[in-house]
Amino acid sequence: MPRLIKPRRPRLLLGTLAATLLLTGAVLAVLQTSAGERLEQRTVDARFAERGRLPAPNDIVVVAIDKHQSTYNNQWPISRDLWAMAINQLDNAGVAGIAVDVPMEWKATNPTEDATFAKAVADAHVPVVLARRSAHDRAGAAMGDVIEVPAATHGVSARIPAADGAVRRYPVRSRWNGTRMDGLAAALLRATGAGNAVERAPDDMLLNYYGPRGTFEQVGFADVAYGLSGMRDLAGKLVLIGPTEDIGRDDHDVPVGSAMPSVEIQAQATANLLDGSWLRELPTWVGWATAFAIAVAIWALLLTLPLLLAVPASIALVAGWGYAATQLFDRGLVVPVVAPMLAGAVVFTTLALTLVTLAVRERIRVKGLFARYVHADVVRELIDGEDQISLTGEEREITVLFSDIRGFTTLSEQVEPAAMVAQLNEYFEAMVDVVTEHDGAVDKFLGDGLMAIFGAPVRCEAHAERASAAALAMVDRLELVNADRARRGLAPLRIGIGLHTGRAVVGNVGSPPFRVDFTAIGDTVNLTARLEAMTKELGVTIVASGATADAVDASHGTGNDPLTFTALGTVVARGRTEPTHVFELSRRAVSTTQRDAA
């Protein structure tokens, strides 16, 4: 199963890594916009939905003013006399504290109502917290004036809308004209002796909603004011009073379900402060670091694993982060989801497409370079294997084979050129088949001669043995060629073959894009050509060097041919000063002492 690219490509590795980092940076830059913020907020909504409703604390009760309840006395706003009655009833019921989430800003129809309401607050044995109006924007809160109720504590009835308009944060503490003001929920807890819970919370608290509207226990305002039912059940509880229907336009978008009344948001905040369950957030840089880490991990997967493994591994990595985010959310921790997952998806898509394109181009290039020289299986091994096809060349040990038709000049004088070319093509077709069947590469054709190399471009430890077996097979195949020529009345062909093993520089040589050929260069090639030329004067068909014979001895045992090297002595090849031990290669069974004597 091939990888998209081969590992030893430092420029490609560095280039794709740089592209990965740049793509991730671009994704993070785009997500710093309000659109990116809204997208992240949508994922928080999804996490709320996946988690579901949490059990609401039973010590917090909402006294609901709905359209039915407001019809008492046929008025809205509700008269302050009725408010005073509700305060008295709750005080008598023994509640722990009262928060009124309705700013008392309107003028009373009867001037005595204000005094009645103020007296009810002053006479109460429990804290009463009144809401101040808050015209809140993202820069801060502005509080308006209310009636004078000296005995009351005040809290800011504020919400902090997010980029999408939903209330996600709660201002535990805010400032107005240099004065610090608690939010209504915080003021209620501080007034009832739970100030430590308020101090633990951040100024700008991320609400952990227990559920949609209606999650907290509710009783009707009129039922409370007239003491109609259930008053004893309120003992010891924190009570928040406010409209629960769209009376006075006090509903707000929230990340859980439909719009929620302000008083229920205050109840959610009170519960968060009381049990410390508000959502915690990781610093922004953690999200950035996670995005870069996931992107680099995907880069590594694509470059080290086969595509069929890299794709599911990358998907699992990105999806795994999403799953981890939901699990952490269930534990009260909000981690960024969009940046890491989007960065991973963008990097994966872009990098995979780029690498696939490069891989296809590389396969086309390798196939174009080597389809003429080697067997199709070798081409596939080159494409799928680890070896790189070096344009500058690489030194390695190989075995070179040269073959030549003897008496070709005389033969060509007796045959028309067109017919001679046809006969050469028949001969070369047979010889090339033999070379490729033995995993050799046909380097070039030299008139009536052929040069082949073994051990390149694909590495092979038994290159000498394969080259030797190929030489013997070429002689065998020539017999079949000559039998066919005899049937057609053509003269038989005779060949000479030289073999030598040694180090040579192999690689692509040429001037791209005009012409590039794979070849071997060096003294090993030159000596092989000289050995092939000696076959005629030595009177043998195949001449192999001592280096080839020794290499075959080192690797022999896996081959099927009974390779036998018969010592012919030492020769000094033309252009060289060092003598070379030469052997005849055949299948004849001879004593190995013949070789040792050389």
Side-chain angles (χ1 to χ4, degrees), residues 400-408 427-428 444 446-452 471 474-475 478 494-501 523-545 548 568 571-574 576 580-584:
V400 181
L401 179 152
F402 266 91
S403 72
D404 186 65
I405 299 176
R406 292 180 183 171
F408 178 75
Y427 162 75
F428 281 135
K444 59 177 64 71
L446 306 166
D448 62 317
L450 176 149
M451 173 183 168
M474 289 171 69
V475 175
L478 183 62
R494 293 180 300 117
I495 62 174
I497 300 174
L499 294 169
H500 178 52
T501 301
D523 183 63
T524 296
V525 178
N526 298 333
L527 180 56
T528 308
R530 301 290 185 268
L531 294 179
E532 185 279 322
M534 292 180 185
T535 58
K536 185 175 182 180
E537 63 181 82
L538 293 174
V540 296
T541 301
I542 305 174
V543 172
S545 68
T548 299
L568 298 176
V571 296
V572 178
R574 182 165 54 88
R576 295 174 62 89
T580 302
H581 294 287
V582 292
F583 299 83
E584 178 189 7

Side-chain angles (χ1 to χ4, degrees), residues 62 101 209 212-216 218 243-244 260-269:
V62 172
D101 191 22
Y209 283 89
R213 65 185 301 161
T215 295
F216 287 82
Q218 294 188 11
T244 56
M260 183 177 289
S262 172
V263 67
E264 292 197 47
I265 296 175
Q266 298 292 344
Q268 301 270 0

Side-chain angles (χ1 to χ4, degrees), residues 261-282:
S262 172
V263 67
E264 292 197 47
I265 296 175
Q266 298 292 344
Q268 301 270 0
T270 303
N272 277 193
L273 289 170
L274 199 58
D275 59 17
S277 62
W278 65 86
L279 294 173
R280 272 69 173 178
E281 298 176 280
L282 293 177

